[in-house]
Amino acid sequence: MTEGRPLAWRLSVDAPVAVDLYEPVRVLPVTEGAELSTKEVDPQWLKEWSRDVPDPERPLSDAHLWVWLHIPPGSTNVDFEVPTVGDQVAEPAESMRLALTDRNAEPLPGRPVPTGTVLDEP
């Protein structure tokens, strides 16, 4: 994805849910390369989702991003978007990882941990 555009994930279940379903997800540190920072996402989004602020700049995984995604009754999925901020600074590709967690924010073993990557604007 190009910086300035949102990273997006979709959490899906096999069949429409009968009741409200809340699934916790957490941003984890990247395992390779550079990590997206708190200054590289929309500051209002950061405040709404983590109650944190961009300054001082730090890896996004250090910004207390543990959220509960909501799938309403009758639905099969929910989208989670992370609006990134474009700039004119030449940077390497930057990534973030998102993991499903248990009720204590611990990643669920054996579950995929997808990575979203942001590239400089062309």
Side-chain angles (χ1 to χ4, degrees):
M1 184 63 55
T2 303
E3 70 179 9
R5 299 188 65 196
L7 287 171
W9 285 265
R10 174 168 283 175
L11 177 63
S12 300
V13 293
D14 292 335
V17 296
V19 297
D20 289 302
L21 178 64
Y22 293 89
E23 289 295 329
V25 297
R26 186 174 121 199
V27 175
L28 300 179
V30 297
T31 55
E32 292 181 17
E35 183 171 338
L36 209 58
S37 81
T38 55
K39 292 273 220 184
E40 295 164 322
V41 297
D42 178 79
Q44 186 61 36
W45 177 90
L46 184 64
K47 185 176 182 178
E48 287 174 14
W49 285 95
S50 74
R51 292 182 168 58
D52 211 336
V53 293
D55 291 314
E57 185 172 18
R58 62 210 175 279
L60 203 52
S61 60
D62 289 345
H64 313 294
L65 272 160
W66 182 50
V67 300
W68 293 69
L69 300 180
H70 174 230
I71 300 177
S75 297
T76 58
N77 60 61
V78 61
D79 291 332
F80 180 63
E81 290 193 358
V82 179
T84 66
V85 176
D87 59 33
Q88 300 302 318
V89 178
E91 302 166 301
E94 297 164 302
S95 303
M96 68 177 281
R97 296 172 62 222
L98 194 63
L100 286 170
T101 71
D102 62 18
R103 304 294 193 241
N104 297 310
E106 293 300 320
L108 295 173
R111 299 289 177 94
V113 180
T115 300
T117 301
V118 175
L119 306 173
D120 273 349
E121 294 184 62

